[in-house]
Amino acid sequence: MSDGSRCLELSTHLLQLLVHKLRADNMSVENLQGMASMVTSLAMLFGVLHTAVKFESLHMLATLLSQKESPLHDALRSMPSTIWKSHIRGGIIDVLQNRVVSSEKLQALLLAECMMSILGENWLSEDHKILDNKNAISVDKFVLLVLQSARVEVAVLLNELAFSKYESSKSSQTDDAIIQKQRNLAILFSLIERIIKMISDASSGEGEPSQTICEKTIMQVITGLNETISLVLDFLQDAKDHGQRKGDDLLAAVRIVGSYLAETPYACQEKTGHLLEFIFSIEGQDESSPFYSVRFMLPMLSQITTTADGCRTLVSFGGYKAVIDCLIKMTEENGMMIDDGSMFLACDTIINIMSNRKNYPIQMEPCFIRLLQALITWAGTTDASSVIMTASSLCTMVMELTSEEFLLSFSGFDPKTLGSLSDLIVRSLRQDIPDEDREQLNQKQIIASGYRRWADRFPSVRNVVHQHASV
């Protein structure tokens, strides 16, 4: 059909009626291939046309590609031609560079997030050129265009959400309108998180060879991200000032802050330090207690606690107890699925705190006993030496604070649990660690030296160790 023809317009409208009913979940291979071909056709309309059909194609692409974990994604990844990716990139450039309403720019940014979700973060920085495309721009300009557009929309939404929450008597917005703004904010945050990941890979040299972002652009992106994260922290400060600590928008704000600080743990240091205690209290709308807010911050916490100042910051308000509670929740029966990555980060944070405890008072508390139980549970699920050594070294540090008699006086810590703890210590001491694995060799040294300090206070553990391992 020729561009601008009535037939093209009518067929696009007909397709719009169908797209919202199409689900790829149960489709045959043949139908999935047909859907993939339809996506490529829509991509061409979106990338090439400059009529209302362009925006109709944009909406349909966003609807189709935003279906999470869809078999359609696999079909698109296996498409032999990459021209459809270039058409989508060109269409996004057209929308973001021109004066169009904010809702259309949001749709274009959602489509960019979908493409990164399907094809990987590096899609944004791949150099896909379209012949005879007068609007083509360089990879660097495209990255900056997407980020700057997302940053503008985030700033607007944060202001509007703060106004609707804290100036409700003056606001005429409906609950549905506020919920839609929160959804849009979550999409933008997800896009920015992917850009953070892409820039991190590009900076560390882990990106794909097709990445061509120059160092100047990387620095401009980092500057922009710093400014946006600072705005997000201001949004959290507003919530703190108004006594608001529950909401999915607040949790999403914590998540993007955690994602950025995982890469640059000392960025926005002053604001983050003042807000950390409040951040640890934030709950999602359906949460009964904070969990994800602490979990999102673990990558940053594991890094800042390698310094005495970072440890003091966390200890000053008892933040290490929140980390312990988060770790425990990840191992509870019928609770969260154990995520070894998050577990290691939580353990590293607590180990750092315990290693520096001479600089601040750390007393034996019930949370440490529950921590021992959680570590025993975690190590009991695997034979991986990294898990065994990490769990055992942290247990060893906690055991220096207490005695066998005290542990057994605690409800829920019975001789069977003590036996499991003994077995964990033995398993760690019997690990055959390669000479090149410095981290696990250091952990084994921590376990052995710690054992010698507390062995007399744990006669049952000492007896098991003497029978089955050498120290």
Side-chain angles (χ1 to χ4, degrees):
M1 299 177 188
S2 59
D3 295 348
S5 69
R6 180 62 175 164
C7 286
L8 179 62
E9 182 182 341
L10 289 174
S11 63
T12 304
H13 290 166
L14 180 59
L15 194 55
Q16 278 185 299
L17 297 175
L18 295 172
V19 159
H20 292 283
K21 299 177 184 289
L22 288 173
R23 302 294 303 178
D25 303 37
N26 298 314
M27 284 193 171
S28 66
V29 173
E30 183 180 358
N31 286 339
L32 278 173
Q33 291 173 343
M35 276 189 76
S37 296
M38 180 176 70
V39 167
T40 60
S41 297
L42 288 171
M44 185 184 68
L45 297 178
F46 174 53
V48 173
L49 297 185
H50 295 281
T51 64
V53 173
K54 184 184 196 72
F55 295 101
E56 290 164 1
S57 301
L58 167 61
H59 299 161
M60 286 187 278
L61 285 167
T63 298
L64 289 167
L65 300 189
S66 62
Q67 296 178 17
K68 298 300 180 184
E69 303 301 325
S70 169
L72 176 61
H73 295 178
D74 292 328
L76 289 170
R77 292 186 194 106
S78 63
M79 292 287 288
S81 172
T82 61
I83 190 68
W84 69 280
K85 304 177 192 177
S86 302
H87 281 310
I88 287 182
R89 175 182 163 177
I92 290 173
I93 291 170
D94 289 341
V95 173
L96 297 183
Q97 278 189 327
N98 289 285
R99 293 184 178 181
V100 299
V101 294
S102 178
S103 60
E104 301 294 3
K105 290 195 174 185
L106 280 168
Q107 285 288 299
L109 291 169
L110 166 59
L111 185 55
E113 196 279 334
C114 290
M115 293 296 286
M116 295 175 83
S117 172
I118 295 169
L119 302 172
E121 284 79 9
N122 292 332
W123 169 81
L124 192 67
S125 58
E126 289 174 353
D127 193 7
H128 290 302
K129 292 183 172 65
I130 305 176
L131 295 176
D132 301 325
N133 185 351
K134 297 178 181 179
N135 295 324
I137 62 176
S138 68
V139 166
D140 296 87
K141 289 183 178 179
F142 181 53
V143 170
L144 292 173
L145 174 64
V146 172
L147 176 62
Q148 181 60 21
S149 301
R151 290 182 57 233
V152 169
E153 297 299 331
V154 164
V156 170
L157 285 171
L158 289 176
N159 282 332
E160 290 180 349
L161 282 171
F163 181 82
S164 64
K165 279 185 168 188
Y166 313 128
E167 302 289 339
S168 56
S169 59
K170 304 173 186 177
S171 175
S172 60
Q173 294 187 65
T174 64
D175 288 343
D176 287 344
I178 293 172
I179 289 171
Q180 186 58 53
K181 291 181 188 299
Q182 291 175 332
R183 287 174 179 163
N184 290 338
L185 185 64
I187 291 166
L188 293 169
F189 279 169
S190 179
L191 172 60
I192 292 175
E193 278 189 76
R194 294 187 185 281
I195 294 175
I196 291 169
K197 175 68 165 57
M198 181 201 70
I199 290 297
S200 174
D201 289 347
S203 301
S204 63
E206 295 178 4
E208 297 293 329
S210 58
Q211 283 189 293
T212 56
I213 306 178
C214 70
E215 186 174 347
K216 180 182 177 181
T217 300
I218 291 175
M219 296 309 299
Q220 287 178 285
V221 169
I222 291 172
T223 299
L225 289 171
N226 269 327
E227 293 173 2
T228 294
I229 296 303
S230 182
L231 284 178
V232 175
L233 289 168
D234 289 340
F235 179 69
L236 292 174
Q237 182 67 55
D238 274 351
K240 179 184 177 182
D241 293 343
H242 289 85
Q244 295 281 335
R245 63 180 186 85
K246 195 175 187 69
D248 289 342
D249 55 341
L250 297 180
L251 191 60
V254 173
R255 174 170 173 159
I256 193 171
V257 168
S259 294
Y260 188 58
L261 296 182
E263 306 299 338
T264 55
Y266 298 102
C268 308
Q269 189 172 2
E270 186 175 349
K271 284 185 178 181
T272 304
H274 289 153
L275 280 169
L276 197 54
E277 182 175 6
F278 171 69
I279 285 172
F280 279 13
S281 73
I282 289 175
E283 302 170 0
Q285 196 62 44
D286 297 325
E287 281 189 292
S288 58
S289 62
F291 170 73
Y292 287 106
S293 55
V294 179
R295 190 172 178 181
F296 292 150
M297 300 299 287
L298 287 177
M300 183 270 281
L301 295 174
S302 68
Q303 295 180 75
I304 67 166
T305 52
T306 57
T307 67
D309 286 344
C311 288
R312 275 192 288 270
T313 297
L314 203 55
V315 171
S316 65
F317 64 92
Y320 65 93
K321 298 177 188 177
V323 177
I324 291 173
D325 286 342
C326 178
L327 187 153
I328 292 167
K329 283 188 174 72
M330 286 191 284
T331 61
E332 284 177 341
E333 186 178 0
N334 299 323
M336 306 296 170
M337 180 182 296
I338 293 180
D339 168 16
D340 283 346
S342 294
M343 286 291 292
F344 282 124
L345 292 171
C347 287
D348 286 347
T349 301
I350 303 165
I351 287 172
N352 292 337
I353 294 288
M354 298 295 287
S355 298
N356 288 280
R357 68 180 184 276
K358 64 183 179 182
N359 297 315
Y360 35 75
I362 296 285
Q363 304 295 329
M364 188 63 187
E365 298 180 69
C367 67
F368 283 114
I369 299 176
R370 296 195 299 274
L371 172 62
L372 288 174
Q373 294 169 315
L375 292 169
I376 292 167
T377 299
W378 181 40
T381 63
T382 180
D383 291 324
S385 62
S386 57
V387 173
I388 294 168
M389 299 305 292
T390 300
S392 184
S393 58
L394 184 47
C395 283
T396 299
M397 290 180 164
V398 173
M399 291 166 79
E400 289 196 51
L401 301 176
T402 186
S403 67
E404 181 175 317
E405 181 180 6
F406 182 82
L407 287 182
L408 291 175
S409 70
F410 187 82
S411 175
F413 202 102
D414 54 22
K416 183 179 178 181
T417 306
L418 185 63
S420 298
L421 179 57
S422 304
D423 292 340
L424 174 57
I425 301 298
V426 168
R427 290 172 73 197
S428 64
L429 291 172
R430 295 179 67 179
Q431 290 292 314
D432 185 15
I433 309 298
D435 291 340
E436 62 272 15
D437 194 336
R438 300 306 306 170
E439 181 178 3
Q440 289 194 32
L441 287 173
N442 289 337
Q443 289 175 331
K444 193 166 187 176
Q445 180 59 40
I446 289 171
I447 296 163
S449 59
Y451 169 79
R452 286 191 286 269
R453 287 192 293 271
W454 52 249
D456 289 342
R457 287 181 276 122
F458 288 84
S460 298
V461 178
R462 183 185 60 204
N463 291 339
V464 173
V465 171
H466 283 181
Q467 288 177 6
H468 301 284
S470 58
V471 182

